[in-house]
Amino acid sequence: MQTDYSEEGALQIGSHADPLFSPLQVGAATIRNRFLLPAMQRGSRNYKPTIGMADTLRRTAERGPGVIISEGAAPDHPAGYWQPAFSILGRDTVDEWGQVARAVLDTGDVVFLMQLWHPGALRLVVEGVPNPYPDYPALSPSGLVQGGRANGVAMTKQDLQDTKNAYVESALIAQRLGAHGIELHCAHGYLLDLFLWHETNTRKDEYGGDTLVDRASYPVEIISAIRAAAGPEFVISVRFSQWKEVDYGAKIAQTPDELAPFITRLEQAGADVFHVSTRRFDGVAWPDLDPRRSLASWVKTMTDRPVVAIGSVGLSTDLASDVFDNQDPVLQVEDDIVRVRRGLAAGDFDVIGVGRAQISNPDFVDRVRHADYSNLRDFRKYRDLAEAYESYSHEGQLVDQSRKTD
């Protein structure tokens, strides 16, 4: 079910300024428009970003989005090394990440955030794939990928401290490289999201709990530590989701009443932006409670911080069905942009993330500005994400072994 952005009841744009191209204050930074390019795990080799990553992000930055998120990078800790297709942000990769940062920042007034991501229990070392720590276990709150499915070990207090320190060091490297801030990845069944989900966090100490706000203790501790180390003007975006790569119908919050104190706790810890990852940006979150409100729209009622909506903008098929289930998407850009404008005008979110459609069309933002939707390229993962797919081993990976449905 999608949010109803029909003409009836929708704020009319008419003579008003286009909400897609109005500026927005995000912490100490001002973004030039409401478009964001998310991390899509392109352009890494040997756990380092390549010049190809720098070039692709630069080309997109030149054509218009207000915010560029770097491809995700794990903090430099043994459990963060999964496959060479995923980068590390640590002392040994500063030069390569510096090339990426300069390539983006030199394009002008784009806001650049570097995403900190950790594989958690989805880490699986594959024979024949280079890994400097092949015997190091996958780490997670309780050693679980999802309920009843184990991989790796539960984190000890020392693991928690060491991993937190690694996150802080990565954030400080991002700051030294000139990034406006970081995005903390707490979504899709990776490490920090595993603390939020009741199926994967069964801890009995202060990092567990029966409620979402209790289970948020470890991500909150990391946010607080980064804020203390990086200062008040460094932007901290938090990306979270209900759905997981192993379970499309999963929920960390069963109701809005469970979600609200979680958002408040993240904000109090230092979060500046909430990046709400859904499979479809205007999908209705709790139709029995509100037949039109998306998850991002619910979050917008709970905070005055900027809220990013994302999910399949311009495409008929969501990311999970496309990337994991081989369902090729069809373009529907013009219709979706109408819905995005109405969502912005209605106050349902502040920024819109566009991933696949912008990857296949780096001039996407310019196209929207001029209402030029002719000859847009379809997104095809084996072409547009070819570099990532060629260097990633799918053999035995845990996400492909656990098909749960909506």
Side-chain angles (χ1 to χ4, degrees):
M1 181 183 294
Q2 292 177 308
T3 298
D4 181 8
Y5 287 135
S6 59
E7 294 289 347
E8 296 80 7
L11 181 61
Q12 298 301 300
I13 305 301
S15 61
H16 296 285
D18 187 341
L20 275 169
F21 293 96
S22 61
L24 177 71
Q25 195 70 24
V26 177
T30 301
I31 64 172
R32 61 195 179 191
N33 60 53
R34 304 306 180 92
F35 286 101
L36 174 148
L37 177 73
M40 293 289 287
Q41 298 294 18
R42 299 173 292 162
S44 291
R45 287 287 188 278
N46 300 319
Y47 300 99
K48 296 180 179 182
T50 65
I51 193 65
M53 182 195 296
D55 288 344
T56 56
L57 294 183
R58 174 186 53 77
R59 284 198 299 272
T60 306
E62 288 173 341
R63 305 305 291 267
V67 182
I68 296 277
I69 309 288
S70 76
E71 308 301 354
D76 196 355
H77 180 277
Y81 288 80
W82 181 9
Q83 295 199 36
F86 306 109
S87 285
I88 297 292
L89 180 54
R91 296 176 186 176
D92 294 338
T93 61
V94 169
D95 290 345
E96 290 82 2
W97 278 113
Q99 288 182 320
V100 175
R102 287 190 298 274
V104 174
L105 293 168
D106 286 352
T107 64
D109 59 348
V110 68
V111 170
F112 180 52
L113 307 181
M114 298 184 73
Q115 189 185 85
L116 302 182
W117 161 95
H118 190 296
L122 284 174
R123 178 180 186 262
L124 191 66
V125 177
V126 178
E127 185 176 354
V129 175
N131 191 308
Y133 303 99
D135 298 323
Y136 205 92
L139 295 182
S140 63
S142 304
L144 298 170
V145 176
Q146 65 191 102
R149 297 186 66 233
N151 184 47
V153 299
M155 297 173 78
T156 65
K157 292 296 180 66
Q158 190 62 55
D159 292 329
L160 293 165
Q161 184 65 42
D162 292 345
T163 303
K164 179 179 71 175
N165 291 345
Y167 270 103
V168 173
E169 182 172 3
S170 292
L172 292 177
I173 290 172
Q175 187 176 47
R176 290 196 294 271
L177 292 176
H180 296 85
I182 59 96
E183 177 165 271
L184 197 65
H185 192 288
C186 302
H188 309 157
Y190 294 103
L191 178 64
L192 298 183
D193 186 31
L194 294 171
F195 279 87
L196 305 178
W197 194 20
H198 68 278
E199 283 196 23
T200 49
N201 185 350
T202 60
R203 298 178 73 98
K204 302 303 180 186
D205 61 7
E206 66 269 32
Y207 297 105
D210 293 332
T211 66
L212 172 59
V213 71
D214 290 334
R215 295 190 297 273
S217 292
Y218 188 57
V220 161
E221 193 172 297
I222 291 176
I223 294 168
S224 298
I226 292 172
R227 174 60 68 214
E233 295 191 350
F234 192 66
V235 175
I236 299 176
S237 171
V238 178
R239 185 175 196 186
F240 75 93
S241 69
Q242 297 269 46
W243 71 277
K244 321 297 171 201
E245 290 180 1
V246 298
D247 184 349
Y248 298 165
K251 286 188 165 106
I252 59 170
Q254 302 303 316
T255 66
D257 288 341
E258 191 175 10
L259 183 65
F262 165 70
I263 296 298
T264 299
R265 191 174 184 192
L266 296 184
E267 184 176 315
Q268 291 173 344
D272 295 303
V273 179
F274 294 100
H275 187 171
V276 184
S277 178
T278 53
R279 293 174 65 201
R280 171 73 189 173
F281 79 96
D282 54 359
V284 176
W286 287 286
D288 293 343
L289 298 177
D290 190 318
R292 65 161 299 278
R293 198 174 289 282
S294 66
L295 187 63
S297 179
W298 277 106
V299 173
K300 192 62 191 163
T301 70
M302 301 167 183
T303 182
D304 60 0
R305 305 293 168 91
V307 172
V308 181
I310 195 168
S312 308
V313 175
L315 299 173
S316 63
T317 302
D318 69 276
L319 175 68
S321 298
D322 179 358
V323 174
F324 300 127
D325 299 332
N326 299 314
Q327 297 179 22
D328 288 339
V330 175
L331 286 171
Q332 53 183 43
V333 174
E334 190 168 3
D335 288 345
D336 274 1
I337 290 299
V338 169
R339 300 178 68 79
V340 168
R341 281 196 170 100
R342 289 176 181 159
L344 285 167
D348 286 337
F349 47 87
D350 302 290
V351 178
I352 190 69
V354 182
R356 290 168 293 155
Q358 198 165 192
I359 286 171
S360 57
N361 298 277
D363 59 347
F364 184 90
V365 174
D366 270 352
R367 294 288 203 105
V368 173
R369 186 190 299 273
H370 297 104
D372 176 13
Y373 303 111
S374 60
N375 301 314
L376 284 165
R377 292 173 72 243
D378 290 318
F379 175 87
R380 291 296 178 263
K381 64 180 180 179
Y382 289 113
R383 178 190 65 206
D384 297 308
L385 297 180
E387 189 177 17
Y389 269 83
E390 288 167 3
S391 57
Y392 175 73
S393 174
H394 296 264
E395 182 181 353
Q397 293 305 311
L398 296 169
V399 69
D400 296 325
Q401 300 174 13
S402 59
R403 293 272 46 92
K404 282 191 174 180
T405 58
D406 296 306

